[in-house]
């Protein structure tokens, strides 16, 4: 529990995999990025999501890095050849939600694609997903896929509900998560305490 900008300098880690708040003003109750998707669930506020995200402090770490939402702050990122694409439709039709999400990486190589249906209440769940408890929660299967591009201890400086940590646990990997909102820290700890089937 804390501010990653203050905590990271005291940590040893080999890679970063995270989904930072990127300034799209997620509002609880299903109103995401200004599109009214109907009242779905009340979420805690996402700290820092009310202003544009500056990734510069993460880029100075000089470790393999995956930043979800990179298309929202791409002008503040170096050029990259390997972007990760998450096809959220998995072949389904378009609607008011985004068809895909993009992650910037410094990994080099070609663009890679992951398909997993995850559209509001319609989702192909993976092990450890359980209930959706965060407005921008990613599926565990997506984060397992991302971790396959990295090695060693992974850091998620914007842990949210702990999906990256849960994926690392499922893979037998060490991970560190940092989160400003104490309640999300509690949720992440609870998710990580659940046994792997």
């Amino acid at each position: 529990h804390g501010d990653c900008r203050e905590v990271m300098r005291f940590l040893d880690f080999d890679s970063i995999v995270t989904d930072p708040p990127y300034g799209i003003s997620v509002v609880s109750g299903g109103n995401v990025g200004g599109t009214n998707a109907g009242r779905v669930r009340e979420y805690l506020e996402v700290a820092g999501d009310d202003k544009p995200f500056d990734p510069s402090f993460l880029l100075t770490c000089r470790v393999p890095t995956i930043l979800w939402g990179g298309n929202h702050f791409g002008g503040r990122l170096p050029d990259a050849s390997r972007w990760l694409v998450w096809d959220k439709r998995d072949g389904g039709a378009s609607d008011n939600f985004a068809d895909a999400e993009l992650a910037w990486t410094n990994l080099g190589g070609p663009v890679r694609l992951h398909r997993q249906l995850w559209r509001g209440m319609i989702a192909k769940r993976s092990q450890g997903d359980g209930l959706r408890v965060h407005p921008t929660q990613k599926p565990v299967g997506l984060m397992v896929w991302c971790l396959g591009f990295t090695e060693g201890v992974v850091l998620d400086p914007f842990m949210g509900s702990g999906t990256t940590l849960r994926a690392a646990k499922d893979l037998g990997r060490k991970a560190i998560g940092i989160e400003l909102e104490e309640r999300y820290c509690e949720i992440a700890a609870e998710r990580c305490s659940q046994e792997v089937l």
Side-chain angles (χ1 to χ4, degrees), residues 34-87:
T35 61
N36 187 1
R39 192 164 198 74
V40 178
R41 172 183 292 271
E42 293 293 327
Y43 297 105
L44 297 170
E45 184 177 325
V46 176
D49 198 41
D50 57 343
K51 57 186 175 277
F53 180 68
D54 178 5
S56 59
F57 75 101
L58 294 175
L59 303 177
T60 62
C61 295
R62 304 205 187 285
V63 297
T65 300
I66 298 172
L67 298 177
W68 281 100
N71 51 306
H72 293 282
F73 47 93
R76 295 180 289 281
L77 291 167
D79 290 343
S81 60
R82 175 169 286 177
W83 283 75
L84 303 182
V85 180
W86 169 28
D87 176 0

Side-chain angles (χ1 to χ4, degrees), residues 115-178:
R115 288 187 174 96
Q116 184 171 354
L117 183 62
W118 192 265
R119 302 171 67 73
M121 295 180 67
I122 303 169
K124 181 180 178 186
R125 302 246 175 237
S126 59
Q127 190 174 0
D129 282 328
L131 276 179
R132 189 166 175 180
V133 293
H134 190 282
T136 62
Q137 184 173 324
K138 302 292 185 274
V140 173
L142 175 70
M143 301 317 278
V144 164
W145 178 69
C146 289
L147 292 176
F149 296 107
T150 68
E151 296 178 350
V153 178
V154 64
L155 171 68
D156 186 344
F158 298 94
M159 175 179 66
S161 61
T163 302
T164 303
L165 273 63
R166 179 59 204 224
K169 178 181 178 176
D170 289 355
L171 292 171
R173 295 264 306 271
K174 291 184 178 181
I176 302 166
I178 306 169

Side-chain angles (χ1 to χ4, degrees), residues 99-121:
D99 290 348
E101 291 193 26
L102 302 175
W104 174 90
T105 80
N106 62 357
L107 304 176
V111 171
R112 293 293 180 222
L113 174 67
H114 175 82
R115 288 187 174 96
Q116 184 171 354
L117 183 62
W118 192 265
R119 302 171 67 73
M121 295 180 67

